[in-house]
Amino acid sequence: MKYGFISVAATVPAVKVADTDYNLREIENLIAQAEGRGVEIICFPELSITGYSCQDLFREQLLLDKAEEALLQLLDFTRMLDIISIVGLPVSVNGILLNCAAVIQHGTVLGIIPKTYLPNYNEFYEKRWFASAQDLRPTEIYLAGSPVTVSSEPKIFSTMDGVRFGVEICEDVWAPIPPSNNLALAGADIIFNLSASNELIGKHAYLRSLLAQQSARTMSGYVYSGSGFGESTQDVVYGGNAMIFENGHLLCEGERFSLTSQMQICQIDVERLRAERRTNTTYINAQRHAVARQIDTCPVEQRDFRLTRQISPWPFIPSDADMKDSCEEILNIQTAGLIKRLTHTCSTRVVIGISGGLDSTLALLVCVRAFDRMQLDRRGIIGVTMPGFGTTDRTHDNAVSLMTSLGVTSREINISKSVVQHFDDIGHDISVHDVTYENSQARERTQILMDLSNELGALVIGTGDLSELALGWATYNGDHMSMYGVNGGVPKTLIRYLVRYVANSGVDEKSRATLLDIIDTPISPELIPADEQGNISQKTEDLVGPYELHDFFLYYFLRFGFRPAKIFMMARHAFDGTHPEAGHYDDETIKHWLTVFCRRFFNQQFKRSCLPDGPKVGSVSLSPRGDWRMPSDASSAIWLKECDGL
């Protein structure tokens, strides 16, 4: 389980009803392919050795004997293979017939799992042929030449690397209390489902939703293999569903109604699943009564690890299909949070510093939405541009233009004279462009906003974002402070998308043009004078690193607690140059900025320990009250040591 990943496969072999020789060849062929591709566990559909739709042929002794012979041949085929295979077959136990899954590896039957819930309604008639696991008492039988105990006792299989998995069969997951509930709560990381669900109008969408929900509810990987082409179409059709989920997210899905065998292979991040479970107290409370017998699988040789699943360079960014709805929802969360704070404080005015950059632009747009929803005059939004030593014409003009076109109150207060006086007061040389030079400007701007709020009876709206908070890229008691921070839960990479969404959906043409230019402006605090051509000379990403890298680091560090080595491996994969819109970074660059991230994240916690209130909008937040409680003097030594060794 390198880096916490395990490779699994969901298969849909072509079958011939009751032709065990043909079906065995298809199964063996898929197992061989999977073994060659590094798959560790492969799952086949329900009754895959005989075919699901044999009907009364399941009463024929010859079919039952041939199914057992096929299993014996499959054991011999897998004797030298490390892969764990899960196949379906009928098993006779003391006069009753069970619909079973057999877990096999290295020529050994590791366990037999009988089906619990037998559908016997509408087109299903399983109780005509099979008994339920609930009807079974523990019984030792000889199956394919080996003794094996068959029982209704829940079973969890544990690999040499410690990955734990369980098995349920088709209808089991449709039950009010699926067996996978207990299996997951007893410690199973992954559930495999051998299925034979037929196709009906609307059923596939319902099935996909059901599996996603079960995977999410149990915080597990869920691997589903459904019968496909070759099953009898006497009354129904089997489309062949192969789906793999991880905590509710569909990782991959096969082609339904395929006329040939197919196999879907994915890597499930078990470490990520366990991190989710550890932080969910509801899950922890529920698992106390879950029980299952553990069965150890066979030792295997370790292979070199190669990540095959796709890793998005922008984990905070919704997919294109969800972009509109997600942007609208985020803006609504920010807006609703601000409306509540305004209502609670009986405020009809806000003060906000407008720099012409992305962060203050988004905060201003949220203020406008809030005032419009509350039917307040936009002139109650006092936007203040405060040019200083590093302000460029481009950002200044954009700030003024946006405030004008949005119809808010616009004020301009140049801070240069005040800061020069401050330098004289403290004896600082104005030609020394150090941290004092920069932070004095940020604090002067905050003082102006705070004092204006007192004068006008208004709230100061904070503009700092989640990425800046993670890196501590804010002046303590400067732009770090406000009366309500609407952007505190929004990472830098997402802000660009939110501003673009607003630009393209509901503002006047002049505002749209300004917003698009703001999006294209380099990110900068503008605290150092511009160059000779009047362009921005202080670019944040040159100093602190690319935000798309830092947001990537932040997501996996905070959301799942991944260690630097795993984040580094995933970043190499995500930023390898194959994504047309993402940056391409070599190993040294990723290592350098990952080290910077770890160092700054720990060193700057003191700023996050006293943040103003603000709304959480996604799964990651740095609020010291709600999500991230960390001592300001915690050591980063072990994280930096691992970074050094990358």
Side-chain angles (χ1 to χ4, degrees):
M1 192 174 60
K2 194 73 169 178
Y3 297 108
F5 290 97
I6 183 169
S7 182
V8 299
T11 64
V12 183
V15 300
K16 290 186 177 180
V17 178
D19 189 340
T20 56
D21 292 336
Y22 176 87
N23 297 337
L24 176 63
R25 288 194 299 271
E26 290 294 311
I27 291 170
E28 289 178 342
N29 182 45
L30 288 168
I31 290 175
Q33 291 181 45
E35 171 79 7
R37 295 173 64 180
V39 172
E40 295 161 86
I41 309 175
I42 185 172
C43 182
F44 291 87
E46 183 176 9
L47 296 168
S48 46
I49 286 178
T50 58
Y52 174 77
S53 50
C54 292
Q55 300 188 50
D56 282 357
L57 290 177
F58 284 124
R59 294 176 171 177
E60 297 296 317
Q61 187 63 47
L62 179 60
L63 181 64
L64 302 182
D65 289 345
K66 295 298 287 185
E68 186 173 358
E69 287 178 22
L71 179 63
L72 181 62
Q73 293 177 54
L74 190 59
L75 293 176
D76 186 60
F77 178 79
T78 61
R79 198 168 303 279
M80 302 302 294
L81 303 180
D82 288 336
I83 191 171
I84 299 168
S85 304
I86 309 172
V87 297
L89 76 162
V91 176
S92 179
V93 179
N94 290 349
I96 64 174
L97 190 64
L98 299 169
N99 179 347
C100 292
V103 181
I104 64 176
Q105 184 190 27
H106 282 186
T108 302
V109 177
L110 301 175
I112 294 292
I113 297 89
K115 187 173 182 177
T116 300
Y117 296 101
L118 304 178
N120 217 59
Y121 53 86
N122 297 336
E123 64 266 37
F124 295 106
Y125 206 9
E126 282 192 32
K127 288 186 178 180
R128 180 180 175 91
W129 312 294
F130 298 108
S132 164
Q134 296 172 326
D135 302 323
L136 179 68
R137 61 178 182 270
T139 306
E140 184 174 86
I141 64 171
Y142 273 83
L143 182 66
S146 300
V148 59
T149 298
V150 184
S151 71
S152 60
E153 179 185 29
K155 302 174 184 68
I156 291 179
F157 299 85
S158 180
T159 71
M160 186 180 69
D161 289 331
V163 177
R164 308 179 78 202
F165 67 90
V167 178
E168 62 185 4
I169 302 175
C170 197
E171 185 78 3
D172 289 346
V173 75
W174 297 76
I177 305 177
S180 52
N181 285 13
N182 179 75
L183 292 170
L185 290 171
D189 304 298
I190 304 172
I191 304 297
F192 292 88
N193 187 316
L194 298 77
S195 183
S197 186
N198 62 303
E199 300 294 333
L200 299 171
I201 294 174
K203 186 176 182 180
H204 177 70
Y206 187 90
L207 172 64
R208 182 195 282 183
S209 174
L210 176 71
L211 299 179
Q213 183 63 234
Q214 185 64 3
S215 172
R217 186 182 302 277
T218 58
M219 296 185 182
S220 67
Y222 203 98
V223 182
Y224 182 93
S225 295
S227 299
F229 183 73
E231 290 287 358
S232 172
T233 57
Q234 182 176 6
D235 290 304
V236 295
V237 171
Y238 300 89
N241 286 287
M243 292 179 278
I244 301 177
F245 296 83
E246 181 182 280
N247 195 21
H249 299 285
L250 180 63
L251 298 181
C252 60
E253 182 176 14
E255 176 191 354
R256 287 196 300 152
F257 305 110
S258 172
L259 303 184
T260 58
S261 296
Q262 59 173 309
M263 176 166 55
Q264 293 297 310
I265 298 174
C266 275
Q267 290 172 331
I268 292 177
D269 192 343
V270 173
E271 186 176 292
R272 177 172 177 161
L273 293 170
R274 290 175 178 173
E276 294 274 23
R277 290 177 175 181
R278 284 195 301 268
T279 58
N280 189 301
T281 56
T282 303
Y283 186 92
I284 294 169
N285 292 336
Q287 57 82 45
R288 67 183 66 178
H289 301 300
V291 293
R293 181 167 70 91
Q294 179 169 308
I295 300 172
D296 293 331
T297 63
C298 304
V300 299
E301 292 185 10
Q302 294 292 338
R303 303 186 183 192
D304 292 336
F305 176 77
R306 184 175 66 87
L307 187 65
T308 58
R309 62 190 285 175
Q310 293 298 311
I311 303 293
S312 170
W314 310 299
F316 287 109
I317 307 301
S319 66
D320 290 342
D322 301 329
M323 182 64 71
K324 179 180 178 181
D325 290 342
S326 296
C327 287
E328 190 64 32
E329 186 167 19
I330 292 167
L331 289 166
N332 282 336
I333 292 171
Q334 292 178 278
T335 302
L338 179 56
I339 289 174
K340 167 60 179 175
R341 186 53 53 98
L342 292 171
T343 302
H344 177 72
T345 56
C346 300
S347 299
T348 57
R349 291 180 177 179
V350 296
V351 174
I352 179 172
I354 306 298
S355 67
L358 279 170
D359 290 352
S360 64
T361 296
L362 177 60
L364 176 59
L365 294 172
V366 170
C367 290
V368 168
R369 287 170 67 102
F371 271 60
D372 289 351
R373 286 275 300 276
M374 297 176 72
Q375 297 182 330
L376 295 176
D377 191 334
R378 289 187 183 183
R379 287 176 295 181
I381 302 171
I382 296 91
V384 187
T385 180
M386 295 169 280
F389 305 134
T391 303
T392 61
D393 290 341
R394 181 179 186 181
T395 56
H396 172 267
D397 292 347
N398 279 339
V400 174
S401 174
L402 186 62
M403 288 188 287
T404 301
S405 60
L406 292 177
V408 306
T409 299
S410 174
R411 292 190 62 172
E412 180 168 323
I413 302 174
N414 193 299
I415 66 169
S416 300
K417 184 177 179 180
S418 298
V419 176
V420 169
Q421 178 63 54
H422 179 60
F423 289 159
D424 288 342
D425 293 340
I426 65 174
H428 181 74
D429 185 349
I430 194 173
S431 66
V432 178
H433 297 169
D434 58 3
V435 67
T436 303
Y437 179 90
E438 295 185 19
N439 286 349
S440 294
Q441 298 174 69
R443 291 194 178 101
E444 176 62 23
R445 288 181 171 125
T446 301
Q447 176 178 274
I448 290 171
L449 296 176
M450 291 290 182
D451 291 345
L452 278 175
S453 77
N454 293 154
E455 181 182 53
L456 301 171
L459 286 182
V460 175
I461 304 303
T463 63
D465 63 57
L466 181 67
S467 307
E468 293 178 341
L469 294 174
L471 296 167
W473 193 251
T475 299
Y476 191 74
N477 204 33
D479 54 311
H480 154 264
M481 191 47 60
S482 67
M483 296 176 181
Y484 195 71
V486 294
N487 290 345
V490 188
K492 185 76 77 176
T493 48
L494 182 54
I495 287 179
R496 192 181 303 273
Y497 283 85
L498 291 169
V499 173
R500 189 181 301 278
Y501 167 74
V502 175
N504 293 327
S505 58
V507 293
D508 60 278
E509 190 57 38
K510 183 180 179 183
S511 296
R512 181 177 184 274
T514 304
L515 291 174
L516 294 178
D517 191 62
I518 290 172
I519 290 170
D520 292 335
T521 303
I523 299 169
S524 172
E526 293 194 317
L527 299 173
I528 301 296
D531 61 21
E532 295 178 357
Q533 288 75 41
N535 297 317
I536 294 172
S537 62
Q538 186 186 29
K539 297 180 181 178
T540 299
E541 292 182 292
D542 291 343
L543 302 170
V544 78
Y547 273 115
E548 64 179 353
L549 277 182
H550 284 306
D551 280 0
F552 187 91
F553 303 153
L554 172 64
Y555 181 81
Y556 289 106
F557 178 87
L558 211 63
R559 182 75 170 81
F560 304 109
F562 287 169
R563 60 194 298 166
K566 182 168 183 175
I567 296 174
F568 176 72
M569 179 275 298
M570 295 173 68
R572 293 175 68 193
H573 189 79
F575 297 99
D576 62 359
T578 58
H579 197 291
E581 297 181 26
H584 180 205
Y585 305 100
D586 59 30
D587 290 356
E588 284 302 314
T589 301
I590 295 173
K591 174 182 175 179
H592 170 72
W593 293 120
L594 179 56
T595 304
V596 168
F597 172 84
C598 290
R599 184 179 68 250
R600 292 192 65 99
F601 187 86
F602 278 82
N603 292 351
Q604 302 293 311
Q605 172 63 21
F606 73 98
K607 296 179 182 177
R608 299 189 292 268
S609 293
C610 53
L611 285 178
D613 293 352
K616 177 180 179 178
V617 302
S619 59
V620 173
S621 169
L622 284 168
S623 167
R625 297 164 294 276
D627 286 85
W628 186 250
R629 297 170 180 87
M630 170 184 167
S632 298
D633 48 6
S635 172
S636 59
I638 61 174
W639 284 268
L640 294 178
K641 184 177 180 180
E642 179 153 304
C643 288
D644 289 342
L646 294 175

